[in-house]
Amino acid sequence: MLAPAPPPPPPLYSSTRHHLRRKTVNSIRPPNLLLRRTTVNAAARDVDTFTESSGYLFELSTSEAESLTDYDISKIASIYRKKPLIVLRRLLQIGNTLGKWLAVRYLDSISERSDMMFEVRASQLRKILVKLGPAYIKIAQAISSRPDLVPPTYLNELSLLQDRISPFSTEIAFNTIEKELGLPLNQLFSEITPEPVAAASLGQVYQARLQDTGQIVAVKVQRPGVQAAISLDILILRALAGLIRKAGKFNTDLQAVVDEWASSLFREMDYVNEAKNGVRFRELYGSLKDVLVPEFYIEKTTRKVITMQWIEGQKLSEVKDLYLVEIGVYCSFNQLLEYGFYHADPHPGNLLRTYDGKLAYLDFGMMGEFKQELRDGFIEACIHLINRDYDSLAKDFVTLGLLPATADKDAVTKALTGVFQNAVSKGVRNISFGDLLGNLGTTMYKFKFQIPSYFSLVIRSLAVLEGIAINNDPNYKVLGGTYPWIAKKVLTDSSPQLRSSLQTLLYEDGVFRIDRLESLLSESLRARTEKALVKVEDNDSNEAIKQIMSFTLTEKGAFVREILLQEFAKGLDALGLATLESLTSAATANLPFAPSPSSSLTDEDMINLRNLHRLLQLLSGSPNIEDTDIEVEAFGQYTKRRTNSEEVSLILNEFTSVQDIVPLLNVIPELPPDLQQQLIRLPIDLVGKFVSRVAARTIRRALL
């Protein structure tokens, strides 16, 4: 007998939704021992619960089963049209099991025993879902990731569905491996566990050692008959969705939502597709700091068997590691908004914390694609939401396909203001993704909102991530965690659409909104980079100054740099006018019959002057107003003030208090040489813009 596998790093979590204890690692045995009849019979004497109660669903011919490799509702319907008794039996089974459970829950409520029977009913529901099979387990897995929506008792029971499903026969599993890979087990693996180390809704996993390389791997084998069972349940759920839409007069095509979910589920049942997804995911995100994606062995993978690198760890939801939650948020940002290829099934069983403190992603069967124009539209919607630009937000909803183009946008804007005003007033870091969706329900129905099929997977991905985060920190908000990356992307992205959006955001009715730029810059500083994960503390003004300067002096910050130079030129022009006016006023103040002081500065000049003051504060690291409500209010106040000489004097006096240019000068030597060279060129660019501004103003006033 071969020696057992050397112990892996501290015992953690395996490569598909399951815990692995050290005794499991040490129980690896040579295949010839595992294949003894006594061992197989011991493993197979008990039929799993799903097969025992729903095995009749597997009764498809070979040709029928092979025709269901891809999701095609017409093929599914044509197959089961010839099997009305199986369909009827399934309907009775679903109605009987769920109906009984709902009935006893109702009896509990009227007999005031709901609290007493809560744990019992939760356990019963889990067992019912296991009997009904993979389709219902998948739905429950999605729900079990939301502790803010599901009572703790039910949450605990439903979470067991992520990794504790009764396994099917090991004999069948090993026969499947040999048939699919075309070789005897002992030629494929030098060692393999005698029992599955985990069983999930679609398959079960064995730990093995490759014969050719000695690498420890996870071998996942698909549950027999799973496609037939899921196909019928999807047919039933799709018909039910059509009835619900008609009865409830929903605007969203619920059947299209079921179709999207079913398509992703069918792709998940194709392990070749999963392996290709895993390889692509590893290429895109495997190099991110503290993100681990397993390696896949394509040559040992078929539609029903997949072989991948063995990874151990604990469920992220079971450890208090806010750092890895932030890593997950950053990785999700990259998935959804950078590359558009995202993990659409990030339930707790698929996110692990390895013993060396990394975030491991598993199970790549259910993935989603987010097109570029939709990614840009989603970013714009987030920016407009945070800045309470509900008119633009209504247009974003049309771009995203959530709202028909014929909708009354003025009415929608008014409705969105009422829906989001309270949520946004708490500040970006306190906005709950779940609360936003909940508050939006009535408005969605009134204005015939639609949920595009692609959007349901995006929403689910974000909602599940927030659910996991809430389990670590009840106050965590995924939108607040993601927004710094969104702000950074808006400031740095070269996309014409996002640059136009930034221009529109910063200039409202032609007036520069310095408060919005401050907000974007301060939020972008909270974005932790994949290399350093630097967190800028509130009192670390030098680090903030350094990061702002580093950003504006790089190629990515060129667009924002041009805006800042333009606004500095406007401010210096206004400062020159204000200074000249102040000196003139002081010189004539003591003259007999001196005219009453008045200001020739326009409202635009006053705004430019104040913007200059705030820009200097920003670059010197002085405290700025972070609360959006206060900023908007302050902006409105100073744009409405009278432009009299007393106010001009007040502003000029404020400039004398800006004495902390010293931190700015201290940071310059710390900049890289190329950025220092770029900084030296800035005064020349600024003088050019200033001269152009003064010349244009002079000509304009001479002609008017």
Side-chain angles (χ1 to χ4, degrees):
M1 186 177 71
L2 297 178
L12 283 177
Y13 196 66
S14 73
S15 60
T16 57
R17 312 189 190 101
H18 57 280
H19 282 294
L20 177 67
R21 297 180 176 86
R22 186 175 292 278
K23 65 180 182 180
T24 307
V25 177
N26 293 332
S27 71
I28 296 180
R29 295 291 184 270
N32 60 323
L33 294 182
L34 298 180
L35 293 177
R36 289 179 180 175
R37 179 61 56 187
T38 54
T39 305
V40 172
N41 286 341
R45 63 172 178 257
D46 294 325
V47 179
D48 65 282
T49 308
F50 171 52
T51 303
E52 184 178 19
S53 62
S54 306
Y56 65 91
L57 297 174
F58 306 162
E59 298 173 7
L60 293 182
S61 66
T62 302
S63 61
E64 288 173 334
E66 290 178 352
S67 70
L68 295 178
T69 54
D70 297 312
Y71 178 65
D72 187 334
I73 192 62
S74 60
K75 283 185 180 179
I76 295 173
S78 65
I79 289 173
Y80 286 105
R81 197 175 292 119
K82 303 171 187 175
K83 303 176 184 295
L85 293 180
I86 290 183
V87 177
L88 179 60
R89 184 176 175 182
R90 185 59 169 172
L91 286 169
L92 290 175
Q93 182 186 19
I94 295 170
N96 183 47
T97 52
L98 289 178
K100 281 183 179 179
W101 184 82
L102 291 171
V104 295
R105 283 287 292 138
Y106 175 72
L107 291 175
D108 288 343
S109 64
I110 61 177
S111 60
E112 298 182 352
R113 297 196 313 156
S114 294
D115 293 340
M116 183 191 310
M117 301 300 293
F118 212 64
E119 292 186 11
V120 175
R121 301 302 178 225
S123 178
Q124 288 175 346
L125 178 60
R126 176 181 57 81
K127 293 175 182 177
I128 287 172
L129 293 172
V130 170
K131 287 182 180 180
L132 290 179
Y136 296 90
I137 291 173
K138 282 291 181 183
I139 294 172
Q141 284 175 346
I143 296 173
S144 69
S145 301
R146 293 308 307 245
D148 53 333
L149 302 178
V150 181
T153 302
Y154 279 82
L155 192 71
N156 293 335
E157 288 292 335
L158 294 180
S159 65
L160 298 178
L161 297 174
Q162 293 164 1
D163 53 20
R164 298 186 190 178
I165 308 297
S166 52
F168 60 91
S169 163
T170 289
E171 182 176 18
I172 293 174
F174 285 172
N175 288 339
T176 301
I177 293 173
E178 292 182 328
K179 180 181 177 181
E180 289 291 313
L181 299 184
L183 288 172
L185 209 63
N186 57 9
Q187 292 185 29
L188 293 166
F189 310 109
S190 59
E191 302 173 82
I192 191 168
T193 49
E195 302 293 338
V197 291
S201 56
L202 301 184
Q204 61 193 38
V205 178
Y206 297 85
Q207 187 190 36
R209 184 188 293 275
L210 292 178
Q211 184 70 262
D212 51 355
T213 66
Q215 180 72 36
I216 295 179
V217 296
V219 184
K220 183 164 66 171
V221 188
Q222 191 169 108
R223 192 177 288 273
V226 70
Q227 283 183 314
I230 285 179
S231 297
L232 179 53
D233 285 335
I234 287 172
L235 185 66
I236 293 171
L237 288 171
R238 194 176 186 278
L240 184 62
L243 292 174
I244 292 174
R245 186 187 183 190
K246 289 180 181 178
K249 298 180 180 179
F250 289 97
N251 304 309
T252 297
D253 187 347
L254 297 180
Q255 289 186 323
V257 173
V258 172
D259 286 337
E260 179 69 20
W261 174 71
S263 295
S264 65
L265 197 52
F266 264 72
R267 290 193 295 271
E268 188 176 1
M269 289 187 286
D270 180 357
Y271 289 168
V272 173
N273 180 67
E274 178 177 348
K276 290 179 179 178
N277 287 339
V279 169
R280 184 181 175 191
F281 195 91
R282 180 182 171 91
E283 290 174 350
L284 291 175
Y285 315 115
S287 61
L288 297 179
K289 181 176 175 62
D290 291 328
V291 171
L292 178 62
V293 182
E295 182 181 355
F296 288 81
Y297 299 86
I298 302 295
E299 72 281 0
K300 290 182 175 61
T301 296
T302 68
R303 289 186 64 89
K304 295 183 179 180
V305 175
I306 185 171
T307 307
M308 70 191 84
Q309 176 187 354
W310 182 264
I311 294 179
E312 295 191 350
Q314 295 171 285
K315 289 182 183 180
L316 183 60
S317 60
E318 294 180 351
V319 293
K320 299 296 183 182
D321 195 331
L322 291 178
Y323 169 78
L324 284 190
V325 170
E326 291 285 348
I327 292 292
V329 168
Y330 173 64
C331 190
S332 293
F333 163 80
N334 275 271
Q335 293 173 50
L336 288 169
L337 302 179
E338 284 289 347
Y339 298 101
F341 182 66
Y342 63 94
H343 199 302
D345 190 26
H347 67 69
N350 292 335
L351 295 172
L352 313 179
R353 182 193 184 278
T354 65
Y355 273 121
D356 56 355
K358 293 184 178 181
L359 176 65
Y361 280 82
L362 307 172
D363 199 346
F364 303 95
M366 189 177 291
M367 309 296 289
E369 294 273 2
F370 208 15
K371 295 179 180 178
Q372 181 65 54
E373 61 270 20
L374 296 175
R375 300 203 298 267
D376 289 347
F378 189 83
I379 291 171
E380 289 177 319
C382 290
I383 293 293
H384 293 146
L385 172 65
I386 299 304
N387 288 280
R388 305 174 200 187
D389 187 353
Y390 300 116
D391 184 54
S392 296
L393 185 61
K395 297 174 184 176
D396 294 332
F397 283 176
V398 174
T399 301
L400 292 170
L402 295 169
L403 196 63
T406 55
D408 184 346
K409 294 183 182 60
D410 290 336
V412 172
T413 299
K414 184 177 180 181
L416 292 177
T417 303
V419 168
F420 292 137
Q421 198 165 26
N422 290 335
V424 178
S425 65
K426 301 174 184 177
V428 62
R429 303 182 196 185
N430 298 308
I431 298 176
S432 167
F433 185 74
D435 288 347
L436 290 180
L437 292 179
N439 294 340
L440 194 57
T442 305
T443 303
M444 290 178 70
Y445 182 81
K446 179 179 179 181
F447 292 99
K448 303 186 183 302
F449 272 58
Q450 307 161 16
I451 301 296
S453 54
Y454 81 87
F455 203 69
S456 60
L457 288 179
V458 174
I459 294 297
R460 181 177 183 273
S461 179
L462 290 173
V464 167
L465 183 63
E466 184 167 80
I468 295 173
I470 288 173
N471 194 55
N472 280 268
D473 178 4
N475 297 317
Y476 190 86
K477 304 295 184 289
V478 73
L479 183 57
T482 308
Y483 186 69
W485 297 108
I486 294 175
K488 187 173 183 179
K489 184 172 179 63
V490 170
L491 290 171
T492 61
D493 199 279
S494 59
S495 161
Q497 183 176 341
L498 288 184
R499 285 197 170 181
S500 175
S501 180
L502 177 60
Q503 185 83 19
T504 303
L505 178 72
L506 296 182
Y507 289 91
E508 185 176 43
D509 298 326
V511 177
F512 180 57
R513 291 294 302 268
I514 178 65
D515 58 308
R516 291 180 174 177
L517 179 61
E518 282 182 299
S519 175
L520 286 172
L521 286 171
S522 63
E523 286 296 329
S524 69
L525 292 182
R526 291 202 299 125
R528 303 180 182 187
T529 67
E530 66 272 27
K531 293 183 179 179
L533 284 170
V534 176
K535 184 175 181 181
V536 180
E537 301 296 338
D538 292 339
N539 58 357
D540 194 353
S541 60
N542 281 1
E543 183 62 33
I545 296 169
K546 184 178 178 180
Q547 289 201 33
I548 291 174
M549 291 188 67
S550 297
F551 159 66
T552 54
L553 293 173
T554 59
E555 183 64 30
K556 286 188 175 182
F559 186 70
V560 174
R561 183 170 68 244
E562 283 300 306
I563 291 177
L564 289 174
L565 286 173
Q566 190 65 45
E567 292 306 316
F568 263 111
K570 291 180 182 178
L572 290 174
D573 179 33
L575 179 62
L577 289 174
T579 303
L580 179 62
E581 185 173 280
S582 180
L583 292 174
T584 303
S585 177
T588 60
N590 296 323
L591 295 178
F593 309 107
S596 58
S598 62
S599 175
S600 61
L601 270 67
T602 64
D603 288 345
E604 181 185 357
D605 292 329
M606 294 298 300
I607 292 172
N608 291 337
L609 193 58
R610 290 184 173 276
N611 282 343
L612 176 62
H613 179 223
R614 293 185 70 173
L615 284 171
L616 290 172
Q617 285 184 317
L618 180 66
L619 293 179
S620 64
S622 298
N624 62 331
I625 305 171
E626 290 193 1
D627 187 277
T628 308
D629 280 337
I630 299 174
E631 288 199 67
V632 172
E633 182 180 352
F635 178 83
Q637 287 178 352
Y638 79 68
T639 55
K640 295 177 182 178
R641 287 179 181 171
R642 293 171 55 203
T643 57
N644 50 42
S645 57
E646 288 82 1
E647 188 173 2
V648 171
S649 299
L650 176 63
I651 296 172
L652 290 176
N653 288 334
E654 287 177 344
F655 278 107
T656 63
S657 67
V658 184
Q659 301 170 355
D660 39 11
I661 299 298
V662 175
L664 180 62
L665 299 176
N666 290 337
V667 164
I668 293 176
E670 300 177 14
L671 297 174
D674 57 328
L675 297 187
Q676 291 185 26
Q677 291 296 320
Q678 180 65 44
L679 183 63
I680 293 172
R681 290 193 291 268
L682 286 186
I684 300 174
D685 295 339
L686 180 58
V687 169
K689 293 181 183 299
F690 174 70
V691 171
S692 297
R693 170 80 182 177
V694 172
R697 174 179 50 77
T698 303
I699 294 172
R700 185 172 62 252
R701 293 192 176 184
L703 295 177
L704 293 178

